[in-house]
Amino acid sequence: MEQDSSRESPSQERSSLPGEPPSSALGQSFSQVLRRLTSQESRRGKTRSAALQDLGALIEAAECDQLFEGSGTSLRGMPEILGQVAKVLEKYAAPPKEQEGRGHANAEVAEKAAAVGLLILKLLGKVEAAKNSLLCPTWKIGLRHLAGPIYIFAVTHSLEQPWTSPRSHEVAGEVLSLLLRVTQCSSVAGFLHGENEDEKGRFTVIMELLKPDLNKESWKKNPATKHVFSWTLQQVTRPWLNQHLERILPPSLLISDDYQTENKILGVHCVHHIVLNVPAADLLQYNRAQVLYHALFNHLYTPEYNLIQAVLLCLLDLFPILEKGLHWKGGAARPTTQCDEVLQLILTHMEPEHRLLLRRTYARNLPAFVKRLGILTVRHLKRLERVIVGYLEVYDGPEEEARLKILETLRLLMQYAWPRVSCRLVVLLKALLKLICDVARDPNLTPEPVKNTLLEEATDCLILLDHCSQGQVKGLLVKTLQSCEDSKVVNCIRKVRQVSEGASYDGT
């Protein structure tokens, strides 16, 4: 695989272009134009426009047999030079490092990208013409050098980013479509992993091109690189991804370990994709799964609700892999797992939490942890009880997402740990009745459909609580039914009594 020189600085690029003299006059012309594009003078608008115009004229005037010619011994045949052209153009249109005045810089990048995209379309048009003419069999060699840099350019400017404009976005989309057509791929995924068994795919080539910009010192110099990497990674799924694990895992962890929340979330999404699409055996090898777990666990101490959401979803899919190596032999107590550790930390954070977005995020994921642990949730019962009671007391906005999820958690808890519920009967009964009264008396804050859902969920929990306590709830609700005047509360209590007694309930 050729070394990537497109990610080097302009001075390095300029010095690499002369090298061995090109084997044709056309190659020399291309090299001269590339020198102009990579020189300091190219920053001036007129010089840049003139160089791009000359490059476009060269591409248009070149015949297919000239454009893809090259001897077997020459290192500077036209396919290699065309690869250099694509790399320089991709680098030329790349967004600069984040800086002040980025609005003006982004507009300039979008303008460059639109102009470069039109040139690449001309170049791919020549490849397509050579492919259809059947008179230039070397077009495949040229395409092999062109495909990687052109793909990176297309993805960089076809994603919705600050450095794109409607025009550059449109041109980049056309470039990607034409690239797929020329390479005879029906999708980006097919382009990357290969659509046939005997076709290697280009994912390795793309990762090698991105590699110089994905190390600790350089990954922030081009703000597009992380997005191109993330988007490209998520196009490749089972069974193709595991063979690239050594290439994709370090950059994913590097991005997730950044101080900016946006980058942390992007990196966690990359890690999550790896967890979902790499076999457990490969992740367990060399302790990789433990490395991922500790990297994710550290994020749970941050107060960013969207990061917490991404991390918890990823951890829930990582737990089955981590627990594959655990085997309970009976007799002794089951060992605690990483799921226990995470749930304990979540409950610790939930108790004093007052920020609504974080409360909703924790509550949203709590039922999945109870399902995951099952009967072993009894290890956390005391803290769960405090969290459930505390969260049921607090109004959570018109959608009441947190309270609905807490009711779901309580229902699951009673289903899995019912022998331990009866001793908590009074506490849970008071919390549920208080919730029902608060919702029934709420004049206008909560929409009626949400109120009805809350009352139904709370009533179902009362019914389950009655089953767990061998019918004690019915007896405790008798006095409440006699003294209560609110029709909605009375309706819920009657439903609990009638369902618990085995009678059908018609809601009247």
Side-chain angles (χ1 to χ4, degrees), residues 115-129:
V116 166
L118 294 175
L119 286 178
I120 292 176
L121 286 173
K122 290 181 182 179
L123 196 52
L124 286 176
K126 289 288 184 178
V127 177
E128 190 172 34

Side-chain angles (χ1 to χ4, degrees), residues 487-500:
S487 60
K488 289 184 178 179
V489 177
V490 170
N491 199 34
C492 292
I493 294 174
R494 283 178 177 170
K495 181 179 179 181
V496 173
R497 295 192 65 196
Q498 293 182 19
V499 171
S500 299

Side-chain angles (χ1 to χ4, degrees), residues 414 425-426 428-429 432-433 459 461-480 493 496-497 500:
M414 289 190 288
L425 170 63
V426 176
L428 294 177
L429 180 59
L432 289 170
L433 286 175
T459 304
C461 286
L462 284 174
I463 293 170
L464 266 177
L465 186 60
D466 185 65
H467 290 317
C468 292
S469 61
Q470 290 81 43
Q472 295 182 54
V473 171
K474 291 195 303 291
L476 294 171
L477 289 178
V478 172
K479 293 183 179 179
T480 305
I493 294 174
V496 173
R497 295 192 65 196
S500 299

Side-chain angles (χ1 to χ4, degrees), residues 56-77:
L58 277 174
I59 295 172
E60 287 182 352
E63 299 292 338
C64 291
D65 55 348
Q66 293 178 316
L67 205 55
F68 302 108
E69 70 177 354
S71 64
T73 58
S74 173
L75 296 177
R76 299 292 296 161

Side-chain angles (χ1 to χ4, degrees), residues 36-189:
R36 289 162 58 192
L37 278 174
T38 55
S39 67
Q40 294 295 327
E41 294 181 356
S42 69
R43 296 181 180 180
R44 296 188 300 192
K46 291 183 179 179
T47 305
R48 178 183 68 207
S49 299
L52 292 178
Q53 288 176 4
D54 291 347
L55 184 56
L58 277 174
I59 295 172
E60 287 182 352
E63 299 292 338
C64 291
D65 55 348
Q66 293 178 316
L67 205 55
F68 302 108
E69 70 177 354
S71 64
T73 58
S74 173
L75 296 177
R76 299 292 296 161
M78 281 307 302
E80 289 85 355
I81 294 176
L82 290 179
Q84 288 290 339
V85 169
K87 289 177 181 179
V88 170
L89 289 175
E90 182 270 317
K91 184 68 176 177
Y92 176 75
K97 185 178 180 180
E98 295 179 7
Q99 56 189 356
E100 295 298 327
R102 68 183 68 176
H104 174 72
N106 287 336
E108 186 179 355
V109 170
E111 181 185 346
K112 284 182 180 180
V116 166
L118 294 175
L119 286 178
I120 292 176
L121 286 173
K122 290 181 182 179
L123 196 52
L124 286 176
K126 289 288 184 178
V127 177
E128 190 172 34
K131 171 186 169 185
N132 296 332
S133 70
L134 302 177
L135 297 177
C136 186
T138 55
W139 68 269
K140 290 185 178 180
I141 301 175
L143 183 59
R144 187 162 62 242
H145 290 278
L146 290 169
I150 290 178
Y151 169 86
I152 292 174
F153 165 83
V155 175
T156 297
H157 299 282
S158 61
L159 300 176
E160 291 288 349
Q161 294 296 337
W163 57 81
T164 62
S165 67
R167 177 58 179 158
S168 66
H169 191 273
E170 178 186 1
V171 172
E174 292 176 6
V175 168
L176 187 57
S177 297
L178 183 54
L179 178 62
L180 294 180
R181 189 165 77 238
V182 170
T183 54
Q184 297 179 309
C185 296
S186 60
S187 64
V188 173

Side-chain angles (χ1 to χ4, degrees), residues 364-402:
R364 187 183 305 130
N365 293 279
L366 202 54
F369 279 86
V370 175
K371 287 180 183 177
R372 179 75 201 156
L373 286 172
I375 184 61
L376 297 180
T377 311
V378 295
R379 293 169 173 168
H380 312 275
L381 209 50
K382 288 184 179 179
R383 189 164 285 169
L384 267 170
E385 176 191 320
R386 294 198 299 268
V387 167
I388 289 170
V389 172
Y391 273 57
L392 289 181
E393 290 178 350
V394 180
Y395 171 72
D396 184 50
E399 300 302 320
E400 292 280 20
E401 181 182 0

Side-chain angles (χ1 to χ4, degrees), residues 83 187 197 210 226 250 431 483:
S187 64
E197 292 184 3
L210 293 174
K226 60 189 178 185
S483 60

